[in-house]
Amino acid sequence: MSTQSTPILSVLTEDLLIRINEKLVQDSDRKIWRLICKEFHRVDSITRKTLRVLHVEFLLTLLKNYTNLHTLDLSVCPCIEDGTITLLLHRVDHSMWARNLKFLNLSRANGLKFSGLEMLVGACKGLESVDVSYCCGFGDREAAAISGCGGLKELRMDKCLGVSDVGLAKIVVGCGRLERLSLKWCMEISYLGVELLCKKCLELKFLDVSYLKVTSDWLRSIAALSKLEDLAMVGCSLVNDVGLQFLENGCPLLQKIDVSRCDCVSSSGLTALIRRHNGLLQIDAGHAISEFSGNFVECMQELKNLNAIIIDGARVSDTIFQTISSNCKSLIEIGLSKCTGVTNMGIMQLVSGCVNLKTINLTCCRSITDAAISAIADSCRNLLRLKLESCNMVTEKSLGHLGLHCALLEELDLTDCFSVNDRGLERLSRCSRLLCLKLGLCTNISDTGLFYIASNCSQLHELDLYRCMGIGDDGLAALSSGCKKLRKLNLSYCFEVTDKGMKSLGYLEELSDLELRALDKITGAGLAALVTRCKRLAYLDLKHCERVDDTGFWALAYYSRNLRQINLSYCSITDMALCMLMGNLTRLQDADLVQLTNVTVQGFDLALRACCVRIKKVKLVAALGSLISSEVLGILHARGCRIRWD
């Protein structure tokens, strides 16, 4: 009888491997899976539906390997241009990778123009969603290329500054099935384009016209959209109560309305809208309405299904909270940032009835004390997000109640709550599911408090310690040991941090965003120790880190190939190191290079030449404007790079 064991892979069928692969949610887990063996890599290739490309040089190979994609994201991949698309379609069989593609993200692909876009749209016949947001150079020709997507259901064109009514007309005629459209910041679009949109795209369910010159005439046309469910008009200063009255008599299926920062809207106009749409689910009137009338409060009684209301900046009273508490039992989010009149009693009344609240924003509600926070903790046991920035009377007692009763809490903002101390953090650490914790300007916390957080909050993804001057190397050592999933960390102005702390941070291998502004005790050796291990860094702020020398910057240039944004202002970098950085960091899109006193004009010229085909934003001292060669500046402008002169 043979005693030889059967290899495990021989009993795992392809179907079983696919089912196992589908259970892997984290990118890091999927990466490990692919590296185990060729069979696992093959299974990943045939099952992968989403691809986010980081390096353009790998695009062809990736699309050859992944042929069943539904979503292709090129938003963080610089240098995508017409030539890239031509090469892609000639070198790779697009009948394979493009046949199932439904969602295409080209946000910030400023190098892509009409020709490349037309070829791409022509190859991807089944596209249902396209995002070309922040392609500031896009105009009517590019819009015409997009109009070739006859089956398009969703289109985002935020800040496509060159698109006018002509381009919009092309889209609405060619894409009559549109259900979701965002035109935020498309400043050349007027009433004529929107009027045609409302006549042709009758299936629209979501429309965003934020920051456009929306008038009452626009809203008269929009009101004819019988299937519209979600309308966003943020910052539309010409929208007034007359326009809202048109909506009152139209859009019968409206569920979400956003009129935040619409200065001419009053509670009367919003009241009229609510009366005819008592099925509203979400209302955002932040920084739009200064005070609520009695009629508005009365209308609130009809909003039985309301699940979110944002009234930031308004004057409120306990009466409003009592009305909401008694009638809006489905409420899961309320925004009261910078509201006046928010009292402990009002919050107690609110949470006594709205026990399902998951998100509460009390930013700058300075009258709030431990009594209100304790009431929130006692009533809202499903609380996920709580923002208490500048609530100066919040103490360790509040954090104790949150720790005891809000086990599901994921996000807590305690910025500028200077009464928070180490004892409070110890009690808060019972919230073991915390993902985001903001402690900026909490000057009474130290490494001891950070130790409590690190010991119990292992899921933490984001931590803000801005100007927490009691934090030093010991706290970072605890953090690197207990919070391995940390991705965003702000240590700016934590003056006690040294190279030893940087070495500890090197063990946070998932770290992507790091702010180290004005840490005058770290040197090139500390930066090198950090970047040698933290290969995922995408954003790094080193402003005023004046003791970091070229040895640190050389290591940065060699190891941090995923960097997309960097701030080197007031650093001691020299010509050679700057040129190496700007040349080697092939994903870099945004750089602040102000007051680099050791860099010559020639150094700036060479560094900008090294990155001019991919950089999208750069900040320089104004005096360099007349010194850097006009050829380099011309290339930058031609490639869509925005130069900010300081």
Side-chain angles (χ1 to χ4, degrees):
M1 183 176 178
S2 174
T3 59
Q4 186 175 2
S5 61
T6 304
I8 185 66
L9 287 182
S10 66
V11 298
L12 291 176
T13 64
E14 182 177 283
D15 181 59
L16 281 173
L17 290 174
I18 289 173
R19 291 169 65 182
I20 294 170
N21 182 263
E22 288 172 348
K23 298 291 184 182
L24 303 177
V25 179
Q26 298 293 332
D27 288 342
S28 56
D29 293 337
R30 296 182 69 91
K31 183 176 181 180
I32 293 171
W33 167 276
R34 291 194 297 271
L35 295 175
I36 291 175
C37 64
K38 290 182 178 179
E39 181 63 11
F40 282 19
H41 189 280
R42 187 187 69 81
V43 167
D44 181 70
S45 298
I46 63 176
T47 58
R48 188 160 186 167
K49 304 298 181 185
T50 300
L51 180 63
R52 189 170 188 245
V53 181
L54 304 181
H55 298 277
V56 68
E57 57 267 31
F58 300 140
L59 181 58
L60 272 66
T61 302
L62 288 169
L63 291 181
K64 285 179 181 178
N65 292 337
Y66 299 109
T67 57
N68 292 312
L69 294 175
H70 284 182
T71 302
L72 179 60
D73 185 350
L74 301 174
S75 62
V76 293
C77 187
C79 304
I80 293 291
E81 54 188 7
D82 293 352
T84 309
I85 303 302
T86 302
L87 192 64
L88 176 63
L89 296 179
H90 282 83
R91 293 262 186 104
V92 184
D93 184 2
H94 63 269
S95 65
M96 298 295 291
W97 64 266
R99 61 184 176 181
N100 297 319
L101 202 64
K102 303 292 183 185
F103 307 98
L104 180 61
N105 190 344
L106 296 170
S107 176
R108 293 180 170 83
N110 286 302
L112 195 60
K113 302 301 180 185
F114 168 75
S115 174
L117 198 56
E118 186 179 45
M119 287 188 290
L120 193 55
V121 166
C124 305
K125 303 290 187 183
L127 280 176
E128 295 180 0
S129 175
V130 173
D131 187 347
V132 290
S133 299
Y134 302 100
C135 293
C136 300
F138 268 37
D140 292 338
R141 292 193 73 208
E142 286 72 27
I146 293 172
S147 70
C149 299
L152 204 61
K153 293 181 180 179
E154 179 178 15
L155 176 61
R156 299 192 65 89
M157 300 180 66
D158 300 350
K159 219 166 188 178
C160 289
L161 301 178
V163 176
S164 71
D165 292 336
V166 175
L168 182 58
K170 291 280 189 181
I171 288 170
V172 301
V173 170
C175 308
R177 299 183 193 175
L178 272 178
E179 296 180 3
R180 301 179 62 84
L181 177 63
S182 182
L183 300 170
K184 187 189 300 184
W185 287 112
C186 294
M187 305 304 293
E188 295 300 314
I189 289 175
S190 73
Y191 166 67
L192 293 175
V194 171
E195 183 184 32
L196 182 61
L197 168 70
C198 296
K199 288 179 179 178
K200 293 289 186 181
C201 297
L202 301 179
E203 300 296 317
L204 268 182
K205 296 179 181 178
F206 167 82
L207 178 62
D208 190 341
V209 290
S210 297
Y211 303 104
L212 304 191
K213 298 175 183 178
V214 178
T215 64
S216 297
D217 288 334
W218 287 49
L219 295 183
R220 182 192 287 114
S221 296
I222 290 171
L225 293 170
S226 60
K227 295 186 179 181
L228 193 67
E229 298 175 357
D230 189 344
L231 177 61
M233 301 185 292
V234 180
C236 295
S237 57
L238 301 178
V239 169
N240 56 27
D241 293 347
V242 175
L244 292 186
Q245 287 172 5
F246 287 124
L247 293 180
E248 175 190 358
N249 298 312
C251 302
L253 301 181
L254 195 65
Q255 296 179 359
K256 303 176 184 179
I257 181 76
D258 188 345
V259 291
S260 55
R261 301 190 182 278
C262 293
D263 302 331
C264 295
V265 168
S266 74
S267 63
S268 299
L270 203 54
T271 300
L273 179 66
I274 291 173
R275 280 200 180 116
R276 297 295 291 272
H277 296 87
N278 54 22
L280 279 171
L281 300 179
Q282 296 183 20
I283 299 173
D284 191 339
H287 302 289
I289 298 173
S290 58
E291 194 164 1
F292 294 98
S293 65
N295 287 336
F296 179 84
V297 176
E298 184 180 339
C299 278
M300 291 285 294
Q301 299 176 20
E302 304 300 321
L303 298 176
K304 304 297 184 183
N305 298 318
L306 191 70
N307 59 43
I309 182 167
I310 314 297
I311 49 176
D312 299 343
R315 180 181 296 277
V316 296
S317 66
D318 293 349
T319 305
I320 290 179
F321 292 129
Q322 182 61 59
T323 302
I324 294 174
S325 176
S326 301
N327 298 282
C328 305
K329 301 293 186 180
S330 300
L331 202 67
I332 60 174
E333 178 179 359
I334 188 165
L336 302 169
S337 173
K338 299 184 180 179
C339 284
T340 55
V342 179
T343 65
N344 286 342
M345 182 58 67
I347 295 301
M348 290 176 186
Q349 289 175 335
L350 173 71
V351 300
S352 66
C354 300
V355 297
N356 295 313
L357 278 168
K358 294 183 178 180
T359 300
I360 303 175
N361 187 349
L362 295 172
T363 297
C364 294
C365 295
R366 292 185 170 86
S367 299
I368 292 300
T369 69
D370 291 334
I373 307 306
S374 298
I376 290 172
D378 289 338
S379 299
C380 305
R381 300 298 176 94
N382 294 319
L383 192 67
L384 297 178
R385 286 170 288 276
L386 180 59
K387 297 185 179 182
L388 299 173
E389 180 179 349
S390 297
C391 294
N392 301 323
M393 289 190 278
V394 170
T395 71
E396 62 187 69
K397 183 178 179 181
S398 293
L399 302 188
H401 277 274
L402 290 172
L404 279 174
H405 302 303
C406 298
L408 302 180
L409 193 65
E410 294 180 354
E411 180 180 339
L412 181 61
D413 189 347
L414 295 169
T415 303
D416 200 21
C417 294
F418 50 73
S419 296
V420 171
N421 56 24
D422 291 340
R423 178 65 174 163
L425 294 185
E426 180 183 13
R427 295 178 175 183
L428 178 65
S429 67
R430 295 171 182 165
C431 298
S432 58
R433 297 192 183 186
L434 269 178
L435 299 177
C436 174
L437 179 59
K438 296 186 178 181
L439 297 169
L441 297 169
C442 292
T443 52
N444 289 319
I445 65 172
S446 69
D447 290 341
T448 302
L450 199 55
F451 174 80
Y452 293 129
I453 295 297
S455 298
N456 298 300
C457 303
S458 60
Q459 303 301 310
L460 206 62
H461 286 178
E462 180 177 355
L463 180 61
D464 187 348
L465 298 169
Y466 175 80
R467 288 190 183 273
C468 294
M469 288 174 278
I471 299 298
D473 295 339
D474 291 341
L476 298 189
L479 201 62
S480 65
S481 175
C483 299
K484 294 292 187 180
K485 296 183 179 180
L486 202 63
R487 296 172 187 169
K488 295 184 178 182
L489 178 62
N490 188 347
L491 292 171
S492 294
Y493 303 98
C494 295
F495 297 119
E496 296 304 311
V497 174
T498 71
D499 287 348
K500 182 181 177 182
M502 291 298 101
K503 185 176 180 180
S504 296
L505 290 184
Y507 292 98
L508 297 173
E509 296 184 2
E510 294 193 25
L511 202 61
S512 63
D513 291 43
L514 182 59
E515 297 184 50
L516 303 173
R517 185 172 295 197
L519 300 193
D520 55 7
K521 292 183 180 180
I522 66 171
T523 68
L527 182 60
L530 169 74
V531 301
T532 301
R533 297 180 66 96
C534 292
K535 303 291 182 62
R536 296 190 180 187
L537 279 178
Y539 169 66
L540 181 61
D541 187 345
L542 293 169
K543 185 176 182 179
H544 280 297
C545 292
E546 297 171 8
R547 291 189 62 198
V548 175
D549 58 18
D550 282 356
T551 58
F553 295 120
W554 290 333
L556 189 66
Y558 185 79
Y559 291 106
S560 299
R561 301 299 179 92
N562 288 318
L563 266 179
R564 295 198 298 272
Q565 185 175 352
I566 193 168
N567 189 343
L568 298 175
S569 297
Y570 297 91
C571 285
S572 302
I573 194 170
T574 65
D575 286 2
M576 184 178 295
L578 183 63
C579 291
M580 183 178 292
L581 263 180
M582 303 304 280
N584 278 23
L585 301 180
T586 56
R587 289 188 59 209
L588 193 65
Q589 299 179 26
D590 190 341
D592 281 16
L593 307 175
V594 174
Q595 295 295 342
L596 304 184
T597 54
N598 292 337
V599 178
T600 65
V601 173
Q602 184 181 15
F604 277 111
D605 201 90
L606 292 172
L608 293 173
R609 284 181 187 274
C611 67
C612 61
V613 297
R614 62 178 179 276
I615 199 81
K616 294 179 179 178
K617 291 181 183 178
V618 63
K619 188 174 184 180
L620 301 166
V621 173
L624 288 172
S626 59
L627 301 174
I628 295 174
S629 74
S630 56
E631 178 191 357
V632 171
L633 295 178
I635 295 173
L636 289 170
H637 285 299
R639 302 289 302 187
C641 177
R642 183 162 68 91
I643 303 176
R644 296 160 291 171
W645 300 105
D646 184 65

